[in-house]
Amino acid sequence: MPTALITGITGQDGSYLAEFLLQKNYTVVGMVRRTSIINLERLEPIQDRISLVQGDLLDEGSLIGVLREFAPDEVYNLAAMSFVPTSWQQPVLTGEATALGVTRMLDAIRLVNKGMRFYQASSSEMFGKVQEVPQRESTPFYPRSPYGVAKLYGHWITVNYRESYGMHATSGILFNHGSPRRGLEFVERKISLGVAAIKLGQLDKLRLGNMDAQRDLGFAGDYVQAMWLMLQQSDPQDFVIATGSTHSVREMCAVAFEHAGLDYNKYVVQDQRFYRPAEVDLLVGDPAKAGRLLGWEPELGFKELMHSMVDSDLAKLQSGVRLPDLQEFTTVRF
Ligand code: NAP
Ligand code: GDD
């Protein structure tokens, strides 16, 4: 059976992709970076069925070592500094991991065995100040954050290694996707956790930034299937992966609070601390190419996703799962 290497396996998408590939009988190897506390929460249900190996996108030697040891057929590069606001605070680190990290991995593959297939986690954040609505594969890019700029470098270096060395290197331009496993700082999870905490009397107010921003938001479990499909094509190509509809942060609040029987107007406070130096106002993708060539389409809709996240956070808080101090979580400048 084929072997897949996943970088970023401890993250949201990494955990869903690992589960998906196990169902397809892959041998799954996950690359994890060294941390002082081992952070395998998202992998708990499958931990005994995957192999984990240490490596870091900042260290090319470690990547070469992992590729030599496990000889994967497919490499999914999901690792990145993925949170947009942090990219203004740590632009150089963001460039090292999210941009140059891609070159390190591509070059390691070129050196070890350029027959390995490569998936790069590109992002709709590259469209930034959008030049066309909806955004498709041919839409010009205009990134608006150091993160977006770094992802654009990762995108083009993937195209370049494909064209320079004939590698099966593919870039998936994925629009926002969440799940109950989403990092707490991303807006849809901050909202679902905030709703759950307010409902249970653990929090008074939810502090947010720009509520007019609009995002094309899907379910991570659907999106990892598209990653796999891209690597099964004989002809490596780039694809937009999106739902085709968009929703404001305000709408996310309305749907999530309403699901818990609450009116968001009473609880949400707009706070300048959560505004960004440059905003991406509107993202909405056109997934037609993915539908046509991959046969991919999203299954879980926007409302169902928001509802499942609220339900999951209610269950977690009710079961006493220890989440970060909620007051701190909603006021720290994420
Ligand atoms: P995530 O939950 O933030 O996970 C990021 C992963 O990258 C974590 O496993 C993290 O490890 C790892 N990582 C960070 N720096 C690393 C380094 N230097 N070396 C090795 N590993 C490193 O992100 P996600 O939502 O799953 O997203 C997966 C990928 O898709 C990311 O590249 C993201 O930028 C991109 N993307 C995401 C979305 C979305 O809406 N979710 C949309 C488009 C593109 P630790 O656990 O040790 O921190
Ligand atoms: N995080 C956050 N926190 N965002 C807020 C808040 C808040 O309190 N209030 C409003 N927002 C707005 C942001 O200004 C932004 O316009 C929108 O909500 C979404 O923010 P995030 O959830 O942080 O996601 P993102 O769109 O910046 O980035 C995510 O999607 C990209 C794909 O477009 C990340 O997953 C990236 O890794 C990914 O590439």
Side-chain angles (χ1 to χ4, degrees), residues 317-329:
L317 292 184
Q318 276 164 335
S319 72
V321 167
R322 200 177 155 275
L323 290 165
D325 180 272
L326 286 167
Q327 209 61 45
E328 176 80 350
F329 151 71

Side-chain angles (χ1 to χ4, degrees), residues 1-5 26-27 29 67 70-76 109 113-119 168 231-232:
M1 293 317 290
T3 296
L5 172 69
Y26 274 68
T27 299
V29 180
L67 294 177
F70 293 95
D73 302 283
E74 298 173 5
V75 177
Y76 295 86
I109 292 174
N113 171 10
K114 71 186 176 77
M116 294 171 185
R117 295 189 172 196
F118 176 80
Y119 172 85
H168 195 297
L231 291 205
Q232 309 318 305

